[in-house]
Amino acid sequence: KNQVEQSPQSLIILEGKNCTLQCNYTVSPFSNLRWYKQDTGRGPVSLTIMTFSENTKSNGRYTATLDADTKQSSLHITASQLSDSASYICVVSGLNDYKLSFGAGTTVTVRA
Amino acid sequence: DTGVSQDPRHKITKRGQNVTFRCDPISEHNRLYWYRQTLGQGPEFLTYFQNEAQLEKSRLLSDRFSAERPKGSFSTLEIQRTEQGDSAMYLCASSLGFTETQYFGPGTRLLVL
């Protein structure tokens, strides 16, 4: 069973609107959680990284939240742009473990 | 330094042929990872190098797959006797320490006909 589950699988939003992506994980003990953006045909690019003590982290129009108690994270995209169309992958690291647990990603499509 | 690079970006081959991919990590990164990603899924771990030593291989890495990092810099991933099920995006990543952010290359997309 995958240790990182993301929802929704995909979503379509209009340019300028906001959206929120969800990530639930079971990785334990937990070290950190990253959100990556992957454009079609490209490798993932890190957006944010949070350790267990951090509740929120922003990177421009992207804001990630983390609740380490419930093992949930969200990624909020504000005022979406066409260039935000991509797959967003939640990635969790266990403590003292180089192996990353990847979610299947949420595909976001922004339409004009 | 422009980040992790991979070559080729695309490869189409016939079933049964051998293919080799190359990854050049960020120069000061001593850790290098290979992943495989199929459509609609997140990357799956294949193998990991610390300098030139291959420290772990996933059970996904059958005996047809071999990876090397001879001088602790670039790495190659070879697939022998390719099968249609090998069609995927092969991603390489590197990091400075094992808890540090892994930086991904653009990937090599393999299509086995």
Side-chain angles (χ1 to χ4, degrees), chain B residues 19-22 34 46 61 65-67 75-79 90:
Chain B
V19 295
T20 300
F21 310 142
R22 177 179 170 126
W34 284 99
L46 291 179
L61 215 65
F65 288 70
S66 62
S75 175
T76 58
L77 177 68
E78 180 183 15
I79 309 174
Y90 290 84

Side-chain angles (χ1 to χ4, degrees), chain B residues 57-74:
Chain B
K57 295 191 294 185
S58 162
R59 57 183 171 80
L60 294 175
L61 215 65
S62 74
D63 56 5
R64 297 184 297 105
F65 288 70
S66 62
E68 294 182 343
R69 195 183 183 197
K71 298 182 180 178
S73 56
F74 73 92

Side-chain angles (χ1 to χ4, degrees), chain A residues 34 36 38 41 43 98-99, chain B residues 9 37 56 100-102 105:
Chain A
R34 297 175 172 90
Y36 279 84
Q38 185 173 24
Y98 58 83
K99 280 193 227 177
Chain B
R9 294 292 311 280
Q37 185 177 26
E56 185 166 349
E100 300 297 319
T101 297
Q102 292 184 21

Side-chain angles (χ1 to χ4, degrees), chain A residues 13-19 61 77-84 108-111:
Chain A
I13 57 174
L14 293 177
E15 188 177 15
K17 299 298 184 182
N18 305 335
C19 67
R61 294 179 296 100
I77 305 175
T78 303
S80 60
Q81 300 177 358
L82 297 177
S83 60
D84 293 331
V108 174
T109 303
V110 181
R111 290 189 175 162

Side-chain angles (χ1 to χ4, degrees), chain A residues 2 4 6 36 44 89-92 100-104, chain B residues 35 42-44 104:
Chain A
N2 197 354
V4 181
Q6 291 188 242
Y36 279 84
I89 304 175
C90 177
V91 185
V92 181
L100 304 179
S101 295
F102 292 82
Chain B
Y35 294 89
E44 297 172 292
F104 285 83

Side-chain angles (χ1 to χ4, degrees), chain A:
Chain A
K1 185 181 185 300
N2 197 354
Q3 296 188 79
V4 181
E5 299 288 344
Q6 291 188 242
S7 62
Q9 186 175 16
S10 62
L11 65 92
I12 300 173
I13 57 174
L14 293 177
E15 188 177 15
K17 299 298 184 182
N18 305 335
C19 67
T20 300
L21 317 179
Q22 300 292 338
C23 172
N24 296 336
Y25 63 92
T26 59
V27 176
S28 182
F30 165 82
S31 175
N32 59 65
L33 183 147
R34 297 175 172 90
W35 283 93
Y36 279 84
K37 178 186 179 187
Q38 185 173 24
D39 293 315
T40 301
R42 296 287 194 174
V45 175
S46 179
L47 291 176
T48 63
I49 176 172
M50 290 183 292
T51 63
F52 71 94
S53 61
E54 296 176 292
N55 300 119
T56 185
K57 184 74 69 77
S58 291
N59 178 0
R61 294 179 296 100
Y62 300 103
T63 300
T65 64
L66 173 65
D67 185 333
D69 291 330
T70 61
K71 295 183 169 56
Q72 295 179 326
S73 176
S74 66
L75 181 69
H76 186 75
I77 305 175
T78 303
S80 60
Q81 300 177 358
L82 297 177
S83 60
D84 293 331
S85 295
S87 178
Y88 292 84
I89 304 175
C90 177
V91 185
V92 181
S93 294
L95 200 60
N96 295 323
D97 190 357
Y98 58 83
K99 280 193 227 177
L100 304 179
S101 295
F102 292 82
T106 293
T107 300
V108 174
T109 303
V110 181
R111 290 189 175 162

